Amino acid sequence: MSTTATTDYPRLAAKLAIVAAFLGTVADLLLLYSPTGGYEVGDYQFLQGISANRIMIGHYLGIFFIPLEMLGLFQVYRCLKPAGGWMPWAVVIGALFIGYPGIAYHGMVAFIHQMIQQGTMDAAALERVRLLSEPVGAALAVGGGIVAGIMVYLILKKETLYPKWMVWCNPGAFYVLFAVCYLVIPVVGNVLIPAGFNLAFLLFFCCSLVAEKKATA
């Protein structure tokens, strides 16, 4: 007698999201990484030493693959669904929404780099660039914090497929860790911070798959 294996599409989607997040991480490093850091200064001069070829590859790699990371939210929702109510949906929709400013910011960097290379980034141009880019980054940070907070609440207070240790494995927690590394161990943080968004989701989806497998074993 033959049996037909049933494809677990949410897990498959999560695995595809992990691949996309890895490529998104590579894209961020190509686009943003500078061994001297300086990302927080706000003048974008860290882009000065990055070659046009690196910018081009990182630009397109991120634009086409970062959106595919959202496939992992199918598996995340399944893990949070036992909690019931609207909060599991809030996590998924919120995470999907913060992906938009993340991709928008990624798409801006190549043009900022071009302005710097051409020497047209004067004080007035920098102010305009910051007005266009910094609210996007702020929306990403605030939205990510809210989503992470809801997820932590669900894991600690409600019934989900996640064990309690998953509160330390949400994207927000990983990004805080990267920020601490940037302040304390700059040689490590200089790599982690520019790739923070995609690397955090990469680690989160990996942990999510492991947690669900143990919960349903």
Side-chain angles (χ1 to χ4, degrees):
M1 180 181 296
S2 62
T3 59
T4 302
T6 301
T7 302
D8 189 337
Y9 288 108
R11 286 188 71 82
L12 176 60
K15 291 175 181 178
L16 292 174
I18 288 170
V19 174
F22 172 77
L23 293 173
T25 298
V26 173
D28 278 344
L29 291 174
L30 289 170
L31 195 69
L32 298 168
Y33 169 67
S34 170
T36 58
Y39 310 114
E40 79 285 0
V41 176
D43 60 4
Y44 294 96
Q45 290 305 305
F46 67 88
L47 295 172
Q48 184 71 46
I50 301 177
S51 70
N53 286 337
R54 262 185 61 184
I55 291 290
M56 184 73 72
I57 296 170
H59 176 76
Y60 282 112
L61 193 64
I63 285 175
F64 286 109
F65 283 99
I66 292 174
L68 295 179
E69 294 177 33
M70 300 302 105
L71 289 171
L73 295 174
F74 288 105
Q75 189 263 343
V76 173
Y77 175 73
R78 184 168 67 181
C79 290
L80 296 176
K81 185 179 179 180
W86 58 272
M87 286 189 177
W89 277 113
V91 169
V92 172
I93 295 172
L96 180 63
F97 185 78
I98 65 173
Y100 298 149
I103 297 165
Y105 183 86
H106 189 95
M108 294 179 189
V109 175
F111 299 97
I112 298 172
H113 176 268
Q114 185 66 22
M115 293 176 69
I116 290 174
Q117 294 299 312
Q118 291 180 339
T120 58
M121 186 69 85
D122 57 18
L126 176 60
E127 183 63 24
R128 290 194 296 272
V129 165
R130 293 179 68 175
L131 286 173
L132 289 169
S133 62
E134 290 185 0
V136 175
L140 182 61
V142 172
I146 292 171
V147 170
I150 296 173
M151 185 179 300
V152 167
Y153 172 79
L154 289 174
I155 294 171
L156 291 179
K157 299 297 184 180
K158 300 289 184 178
E159 183 71 28
T160 72
L161 296 182
Y162 287 142
K164 302 302 182 188
W165 56 261
M166 275 295 291
V167 300
W168 304 108
C169 298
N170 67 75
F174 282 123
Y175 199 88
V176 170
L177 176 62
F178 302 158
V180 171
C181 286
Y182 183 65
L183 296 173
V184 178
I185 317 173
V187 68
V188 176
N190 288 344
V191 177
L192 296 177
I193 279 294
F197 177 84
N198 296 295
L199 182 57
F201 272 95
L202 168 62
L203 296 174
F204 168 59
F205 289 141
C206 289
C207 292
S208 182
L209 284 176
V210 170
E212 184 188 36
K213 186 174 182 179
K214 288 184 177 180
T216 57

